[in-house]
Amino acid sequence: MAIRWCWAVAAGVSLAPAAAYAGDRDLNIDLPAATLGQAIAALSTQAGISIGTEGALPDLRTPAVRGHISAGKALDRLLAGTPWKARQVSPFAWRIVPRPRQRSAPPPPPRITENDAFPTPIPDVVVTARKFAEAESSIPGPFAVYTPSRAERTGASAGSRAVAQTIDGLTAIDTGPDAGRLFVRGVADTPFSGYGQSPVSVEIDEARTTFDAPDPDLRMVDVARVELLKGPQGPLYGTGALGGVYRVILNPPNPAAPAASFRFDLGGVQGGGPGAAAEAMVNLPVANGQGAIRAVAYGELAPGWIRDVGRPGTLNQTRSWGARLAGRYDLGEWRVTLTGLTQSVAARDSRYTNINGEDLVRTARLREPREGDISQGAAVLTGPLGAATLTFASSITGQHVARTDDASASAALLGAAAPLAYHEARDYQLIDEELRIASTADRRLSWIAGLSYLHSTTTVAGRLTPPSGAVIDALDLKRFVKEFSVYGEGTLRLAPRLRAALGARLFLSTVEDGRAEKAQVQAEANSGSTIGVTPSASLAYDTSGGGLVYFRYASAYRPGGLDPANTVTHRYDADQLSNFDLGARGTALRGSLTLDVAAYRTRWLHVQSDYLLPDGLLATHNVGDALIIGIEGSLAWHTGGWTLSAGGTFQHARLTRGEDGTKLVTDLRLPVVPDVAGRVALAWRHDWHGWSIAPSLAARYGGPSRLSFDPGLDREMGGFGEADLTIAATRGRMRVTLSIDNLFDARGDSFAFGNPFSVRTESQYTPTRPRSGSLSFGVDF
């Protein structure tokens, strides 16, 4: 018999309460009325189990199931009165199978079709970003989820930028594999990929992935979802999470049954050339259902669209590939998960121009290739400790990024002859260890407490190559950061509908810096330690209609480091950020309409920002204090076969005081992020001769923004919109998709920077990618 398996929307099985793993143990279950697929996804995450079906997934509605019950009983209630039942195939896996036929078998419930008279509820995703499983609608703070199964852009060609296009308040700079940066809600410090710590913490499952490294731009292949915690997350995630946490949740190994999938894409860019991508996944149960192994591989050859004047062919073709291998083994009520992954992205050349923002050619210069690689190994052990859940997570992540820039414009300042090439290689290593314990049973009081250790090592080597070919040392930088911390958060239900939460993190951060440049007689070195506390507090009220109103305060901290231009202290100071949120989310029209709105005010002291030295090398300094005020909102409406989603952000992000405390006469706009951004998407689903046809049209707009605080680089960019068209056709296990990005071939400057050595002497533009299309074929086994 053919087997098709339904996967949990949230794969964070190592975060789910371990006491709930076995089917005979009780836990708090909260499943809203929904489709069977939606209910299974939520139950899989809440109970930490795997659920599969024989044949096609039954297309039926399930009732709401709530209470302190076992996973087995929850499944019984979901399937009561239907021709299906749940059979336990291992302590942690269940299979939905047909009931034995009876003479008086009840009729099956009605199928869900696009012509239903009642609206279809939008599912409530179960998430684990706050280190325990909870419904997205119940989180007392700003939060967003990107789910590839619902998105039009996914796979080997989709990364952080595809996520940012569907999440309000998230900005992704994508200028190459060596310089990706993420900003959330106006918390943007610099357009340059310098050596300071990123304001957004990137996580993959339980593993912290970046400290001061660029965003690795992990491809959306076999990904369950991306969770974005907006606003400072210092109490739960430590230093550096000023703007928020970007957390990628991978699909886990599933011991319930074997599965496999394959996808192939063929496409091209207008004015460029052809491209192709492929991906594959295999899942194999082992040890009689007590464990599983899951392997993923993918690759892409993306065409370029930038040309040099007088040279044939395009410059910025990109190739990428990646692989993952994960294993899981269940021993009693304890579970161990091991994950290894690697990804490599390389571009033949940079993607900026210097003629005008709409042109796709530039004056000839030396080749400027870029490269970004990441490798990660992680282990998670989790199990019950009395009425609580104990989790130990350990990971090590390595990133290597390299770039070459034409430094001829700054050759005299660098003491060399033109033409001059600058080669820079950076290596990052991040070790992350965490031991935590979380409550699982008490409904009135829930809590989490943990110990954390983080060790970050960064090395940078910059070399110059003049016409003679002799290599000249230009820059050597080393940075070591260690952080020990203890944290906790507790939530108390003050009344049936009122919850209050308090959290804090006590940390000891030690930083050691060393920097040597070609022009320096003696290398600089510095070190220091800081003890600090980052608190948080929230108040949430559950409305009678199933909505939520919340107020939240949170803070975060980022350590300082070396500033070679500071002739007094030779350092830049730590910066601190505090934020207030007032928000509400809820549903209407029998659950078919969801609304989410939030207003925020952020105070950012001693803002750290990367800047260009006169010779084109990068350094970091403090620029003053900033104030960010904004409002964002989103809605999603689903009825019949139609789905409408929209969202927007309005904010005022400005530098208000200089580092010396002087109030600025004219507030300086924080770099990169626009004051206004919006999106809208309309999709329709129709069944036709055994095919499910789903066309969709999406549009987005990013308002004007500025490049830098530096008056000489305060250049305008952005201020344009794009539209995408997708038509997907699904039949059984097959899926065919036609996609056209930038449908109307809009032109605009997405980033007014490309080369640090010549940007002061010429205008630079990063044009958005021209109209492109792809045709993909996928199949599940």
Side-chain angles (χ1 to χ4, degrees):
M1 177 180 295
I3 298 178
R4 182 175 304 155
W5 295 92
C6 175
W7 306 91
V9 172
V13 292
S14 60
L15 289 170
Y21 289 158
D24 58 350
R25 298 194 61 134
D26 292 342
L27 69 156
N28 293 328
I29 297 293
D30 186 0
L31 305 175
T35 67
L36 179 59
Q38 296 162 0
I40 283 177
L43 180 60
S44 297
T45 300
Q46 292 183 26
I49 60 176
S50 300
I51 305 172
T53 62
E54 292 185 357
L57 186 68
D59 198 7
L60 54 89
R61 294 186 182 279
T62 57
V65 175
R66 294 182 174 89
H68 195 62
I69 57 176
S70 67
K73 290 181 179 179
L75 280 168
D76 289 342
R77 293 186 186 180
L78 287 174
L79 299 171
T82 75
W84 294 276
K85 68 176 183 178
R87 187 176 73 204
Q88 190 170 7
V89 295
S90 80
F92 313 98
W94 299 75
R95 183 178 299 170
I96 297 177
V97 299
R99 295 183 188 272
R101 292 189 177 182
Q102 301 177 3
R103 294 180 181 177
S104 58
R111 289 176 55 84
I112 303 173
T113 71
E114 61 185 275
N115 298 317
D116 286 341
F118 48 88
T120 303
I122 295 175
D124 194 2
V125 179
V126 176
V127 297
T128 52
R130 297 203 307 152
K131 301 183 184 287
F132 55 89
E134 58 187 332
E136 178 188 0
S137 62
S138 68
I139 297 177
F143 186 82
V145 177
Y146 166 91
T147 306
S149 61
R150 303 181 196 170
E152 305 303 335
R153 296 294 177 272
T154 184
S157 59
S160 303
R161 184 172 180 269
V163 179
Q165 289 175 355
T166 64
I167 291 184
D168 304 306
L170 176 62
T171 301
I173 295 180
D174 178 21
T175 59
D178 66 306
R181 293 180 69 84
L182 299 176
F183 302 117
V184 179
R185 284 176 146 199
V187 181
D189 51 2
T190 177
F192 311 119
S193 183
Y195 316 115
Q197 189 177 358
S198 170
V200 174
S201 175
V202 178
E203 317 268 332
I204 300 177
D205 287 336
E206 288 274 10
R208 182 158 182 173
T209 304
T210 64
F211 187 80
D212 50 4
D215 168 37
D217 196 24
L218 189 71
R219 299 304 196 248
M220 297 292 105
V221 177
D222 200 41
V223 168
R225 67 185 183 279
V226 177
E227 302 174 347
L228 181 68
L229 283 168
K230 302 178 183 182
Q233 306 295 328
L236 286 180
Y237 284 94
T239 60
L242 274 69
V245 173
Y246 178 92
R247 190 162 179 263
V248 181
I249 306 298
L250 307 176
N251 281 321
N254 187 352
S261 65
F262 174 79
R263 173 177 166 177
F264 178 76
D265 294 27
L266 186 64
V269 174
Q270 181 172 308
E279 61 188 74
M281 180 279 296
V282 176
N283 182 89
L284 296 174
V286 297
N288 296 321
Q290 287 187 278
I293 296 174
R294 191 178 187 94
V296 176
Y298 55 92
E300 182 197 22
L301 180 61
W305 60 90
I306 303 297
R307 301 173 184 271
D308 271 354
V309 174
R311 291 182 180 176
T314 57
L315 303 172
N316 59 316
Q317 295 94 335
T318 302
R319 65 109 183 109
S320 61
W321 64 270
R324 297 199 296 266
L325 182 64
R328 157 186 163 180
Y329 187 75
D330 301 323
L331 182 61
E333 294 180 344
W334 288 83
R335 172 174 300 170
V336 60
T337 304
L338 303 175
T339 304
L341 65 85
T342 184
Q343 178 177 281
S344 176
V345 183
R348 285 184 55 201
D349 210 324
S350 53
R351 49 185 288 192
Y352 68 94
T353 70
N354 64 337
I355 296 179
N356 66 65
E358 296 188 359
D359 225 322
L360 302 180
V361 296
R362 70 184 184 197
T363 54
R365 59 196 59 209
L366 300 177
R367 294 292 191 189
E368 298 178 333
R370 277 91 166 97
E371 179 183 0
D373 303 328
I374 181 173
S375 297
Q376 184 180 87
V380 179
L381 175 67
T382 185
L385 186 65
T389 300
L390 183 70
T391 300
F392 173 70
S394 176
S395 65
I396 180 170
T397 303
Q399 279 186 257
H400 171 78
V401 298
R403 63 182 290 154
T404 296
D405 288 298
D406 187 338
S408 302
S410 297
L413 293 172
L414 292 167
L420 182 67
Y422 175 75
H423 311 278
E424 184 175 278
R426 305 185 191 185
D427 289 286
Y428 305 89
Q429 185 185 83
L430 182 61
I431 298 173
D432 184 24
E433 314 277 351
E434 181 170 287
L435 177 68
R436 69 172 180 269
I437 185 170
S439 63
T440 59
D442 194 332
R443 300 182 188 180
R444 188 167 184 264
L445 174 65
S446 61
W447 51 268
I448 184 171
L451 301 172
S452 175
Y453 169 73
L454 181 146
H455 186 188
S456 170
T457 303
T458 302
T459 59
V460 180
R463 304 292 182 257
L464 295 169
T465 306
S468 65
V471 177
I472 303 173
D473 294 341
L475 173 67
D476 284 287
L477 183 147
K478 292 186 178 180
R479 180 178 172 89
F480 305 94
V481 179
K482 293 182 181 180
E483 180 183 306
F484 299 88
S485 59
V486 55
Y487 69 89
E489 183 176 275
T491 301
L492 178 65
R493 189 167 290 278
L494 304 175
R497 294 183 181 175
L498 185 63
R499 292 172 285 146
L502 290 174
R505 190 182 196 99
L506 174 64
F507 63 87
L508 169 63
S509 177
T510 301
V511 180
E512 298 179 20
D513 277 315
R515 179 175 178 133
E517 295 182 21
K518 178 178 180 295
Q520 290 178 302
V521 177
Q522 184 175 359
E524 294 178 294
N526 210 325
S527 65
S529 297
T530 302
I531 297 177
V533 177
T534 52
S536 68
S538 67
L539 194 64
Y541 179 77
D542 301 311
T543 66
S544 58
L548 176 73
V549 178
Y550 63 84
F551 177 79
R552 179 178 183 266
Y553 165 81
S555 60
Y557 167 94
R558 186 166 56 169
L562 277 178
D563 175 12
N566 187 329
T567 58
V568 179
T569 66
H570 300 282
R571 288 187 56 81
Y572 61 91
D573 295 330
D575 55 355
Q576 303 174 56
L577 186 146
S578 58
N579 176 81
F580 292 93
D581 268 288
L582 178 62
R585 64 174 64 95
T587 62
L589 303 179
R590 300 180 64 179
S592 65
L593 176 66
T594 63
L595 300 168
D596 194 335
V597 63
Y600 52 93
R601 184 184 188 276
T602 302
R603 190 63 179 167
W604 192 359
L605 303 179
H606 308 294
V607 176
Q608 297 175 12
S609 181
D610 296 329
Y611 68 103
L612 292 179
L613 296 170
D615 58 9
L617 297 179
L618 288 166
T620 307
H621 64 169
N622 299 104
V623 295
D625 300 340
L627 178 65
I628 306 169
I629 299 174
I631 184 170
E632 64 182 13
S634 64
L635 65 86
W637 178 56
H638 183 66
T639 182
W642 293 92
T643 300
L644 173 68
S645 61
T649 302
F650 303 89
Q651 62 188 3
H652 187 82
R654 299 293 189 270
L655 192 71
T656 58
R657 291 183 180 274
E659 184 59 18
D660 59 1
T662 303
K663 186 175 181 180
L664 301 179
V665 178
T666 302
D667 295 344
L668 295 177
R669 176 181 288 189
L670 296 188
V672 179
V673 292
D675 283 351
V676 179
R679 61 177 177 86
V680 63
L682 180 65
W684 179 59
R685 186 183 67 84
H686 177 70
D687 293 330
W688 180 76
H689 295 289
W691 288 86
S692 176
I693 311 298
S696 65
L697 181 64
R700 57 193 171 276
Y701 172 78
S705 59
R706 310 298 293 189
L707 176 66
S708 173
F709 298 116
D710 188 334
L713 297 175
D714 187 20
R715 302 174 182 178
E716 185 172 320
M717 56 191 186
F720 63 92
E722 295 178 285
D724 303 327
L725 174 66
T726 302
I727 303 175
T730 305
R731 182 169 186 167
R733 302 172 183 174
M734 296 186 301
R735 179 180 175 90
V736 181
T737 305
L738 172 66
S739 300
I740 302 177
D741 295 341
N742 195 1
L743 180 63
F744 302 107
D745 199 27
R747 298 294 175 88
D749 181 17
S750 63
F751 193 54
F753 174 72
N755 182 307
F757 299 99
S758 58
V759 69
R760 295 186 186 276
T761 60
E762 66 178 9
S763 297
Q764 295 179 354
Y765 315 90
T766 303
T768 186
R769 188 172 68 169
R771 182 189 295 114
S772 60
S774 67
L775 180 66
S776 71
F777 172 79
V779 60
D780 296 327
F781 301 97

